[in-house]
Amino acid sequence: MTSHKTAQTMKPATAAKKLGVYLEATPAEFQEGVVSRTELNALQADPPKWLQELRRNGPHPRPVVAAKLGVSISGLARGGITEALTTEQIDALKQEAPDWLQQERATQAEVRKETVRIKEKNAARDDQQA
């Protein structure tokens, strides 16, 4: 008895998310088809020119924009950034350093500190119980 494995496929939006690119900026053939797990792995291992260009210059999806600016996705929204941005636009925002960006970066830093504090507290508690 032989089992035929069907290729695991995903929607273009899912593949774009996994690749860290903005779907609307990808080529039409990428947007209109389905992407198999094998194709995704190939794109990650040996990115074609269009993928390299998108990763370098954008436009970038909100999670990537947030990471490049050092803020949360919610912080982007609070700052009025709801669209994809290019690397050039992100760099310009960093240079301008508007008040909202400085505030959101400070908030993000506090969140990280608190996360570390909680992790250390839990580790100490776990050590005491062991």
Side-chain angles (χ1 to χ4, degrees), residues 70-71 100-112:
V71 300
W100 71 264
L101 180 57
Q102 294 175 35
Q103 178 62 41
E104 290 300 332
R105 282 181 166 172
T107 300
Q108 192 70 3
E110 288 299 317
V111 168
R112 287 188 188 111

Side-chain angles (χ1 to χ4, degrees), residues 84-128:
L85 298 179
T86 63
T87 300
E88 189 176 299
Q89 291 169 315
I90 293 168
D91 291 342
L93 262 177
K94 286 179 180 178
Q95 289 296 318
E96 292 170 21
D99 291 341
W100 71 264
L101 180 57
Q102 294 175 35
Q103 178 62 41
E104 290 300 332
R105 282 181 166 172
T107 300
Q108 192 70 3
E110 288 299 317
V111 168
R112 287 188 188 111
K113 282 183 195 172
E114 182 65 8
T115 301
V116 168
R117 186 191 69 76
I118 291 170
K119 194 177 214 179
E120 288 171 350
K121 179 182 171 187
N122 290 342
R125 185 191 64 221
D126 291 346
D127 287 346
Q128 287 176 350

Side-chain angles (χ1 to χ4, degrees), residues 1-64:
M1 184 167 149
T2 59
S3 63
H4 295 285
K5 286 191 174 183
T6 57
Q8 182 183 11
T9 60
M10 61 193 84
K11 294 177 184 176
T14 304
K17 191 177 207 177
K18 289 180 181 285
L19 292 169
V21 295
Y22 187 57
L23 177 63
E24 285 75 14
T26 60
E29 59 270 9
F30 181 86
Q31 293 180 37
E32 295 165 0
V34 293
V35 180
S36 72
R37 173 64 63 186
T38 305
E39 291 169 331
L40 179 70
N41 290 341
L43 286 170
Q44 289 173 326
D46 187 23
K49 199 76 167 160
W50 65 264
L51 182 54
Q52 292 174 17
E53 188 66 24
L54 275 178
R55 285 179 170 168
R56 188 177 311 112
N57 298 319
H60 303 288
R62 287 180 309 164
V64 174

Side-chain angles (χ1 to χ4, degrees), residues 62 72-82 100:
R62 287 180 309 164
S72 67
I73 295 172
S74 299
L76 279 182
R78 286 190 292 271
I81 307 294
T82 57
W100 71 264

